[in-house]
Amino acid sequence: DDTVAMISRLALPELPLVVFVEDLHDADASLSDLLAQLASRPGAVLIVTTSWPGSTAANPHVTAARDAAAERVLVLDHRGGRPPAPFPPDASLAPLTDEALAAIVRFRYPRVDAETLRSIIARYTNPLALELFCELPRVRRRVRDGQLALSATTIAESPAEIRGLYRELWNELPETVREALSLAALGAPHIISP
């Protein structure tokens, strides 16, 4: 109740407050109740959450919170359909186009070889995976005179999944940094899986 009251006091019509919760499907009863209370109250609070498609239905806390504020909840799904008002008719959560994916690569590597670019965006259609691939030290080390040219083998040998890309980035960190981050993570209130 104190948290709801504080957030409500901070949220003004001329200065709305945004609460962002990633991986809502992992929410516990306390977080779900907080979100239900915030969504049920009048005020300038926007709650934005993400979750894996279909996964929130398996969490009874989230389902109860969503049902409690059903008239104020808007669910968007990337798998199709146009988003409802107030979103413009051309708004979309659809996958990015090849041109948009290419723009991400070119932002990092303006002089990327055309064949390299085609191979990268064919393998990494998820923008986060694409960004992580572009940050891999083994990719950055291949830049010569501002030009990025990678063999198909180099691209194919890179992890395809986000978890593998993060693992490779993790393994590139100095051991002392990995140790410090591991110790910091032990203080996190959520269970961390390896």
Side-chain angles (χ1 to χ4, degrees):
D1 288 335
D2 290 341
T3 305
V4 173
M6 179 194 68
I7 291 173
S8 297
R9 280 193 309 274
L10 291 173
L12 305 171
E14 58 277 354
L15 187 64
L17 188 86
V18 178
V19 176
F20 186 84
V21 179
E22 189 171 5
D23 293 335
L24 181 64
H25 52 275
D26 288 334
D28 62 10
S30 298
L31 177 58
S32 298
D33 184 55
L34 171 69
L35 296 176
Q37 288 184 51
L38 287 172
S40 300
R41 296 176 69 128
V45 177
L46 172 66
I47 301 169
V48 179
T49 66
T50 65
S51 66
W52 289 102
S55 61
T56 55
N59 184 325
H61 307 297
V62 173
T63 302
R66 187 185 60 229
D67 292 348
E71 71 282 352
R72 298 188 67 171
V73 173
L74 178 63
V75 177
L76 300 176
D77 192 319
H78 75 284
R79 294 175 290 192
R82 290 193 170 170
F87 294 95
D90 61 342
S92 171
L93 293 175
L96 295 179
T97 64
D98 286 352
E99 293 80 25
L101 294 169
I104 292 172
V105 177
R106 284 193 186 106
F107 178 79
R108 301 265 189 210
Y109 304 108
R111 295 180 53 213
V112 62
D113 172 75
E115 185 55 38
T116 297
L117 180 62
R118 278 191 293 278
S119 297
I120 292 171
I121 65 173
R123 183 164 175 85
Y124 298 103
T125 57
N126 176 307
L128 176 58
L130 183 58
E131 289 273 357
L132 293 172
F133 173 80
C134 288
E135 286 299 312
L136 291 176
R138 75 158 110 174
V139 172
R140 291 185 294 157
R141 286 191 290 262
R142 301 278 177 115
V143 175
R144 300 287 183 253
D145 299 321
Q147 172 100 17
L148 177 64
L150 301 173
S151 69
T153 303
T154 299
I155 296 168
E157 288 174 349
S158 297
E161 301 294 324
I162 290 173
R163 183 180 209 129
L165 292 163
Y166 272 125
R167 183 173 292 117
E168 185 167 327
L169 287 165
W170 172 262
N171 289 336
E172 287 281 340
L173 292 173
E175 185 176 352
T176 54
V177 172
R178 290 196 312 262
E179 287 174 0
L181 290 171
S182 296
L183 288 173
L186 290 175
H190 193 295
I191 297 172
I192 299 173
S193 62

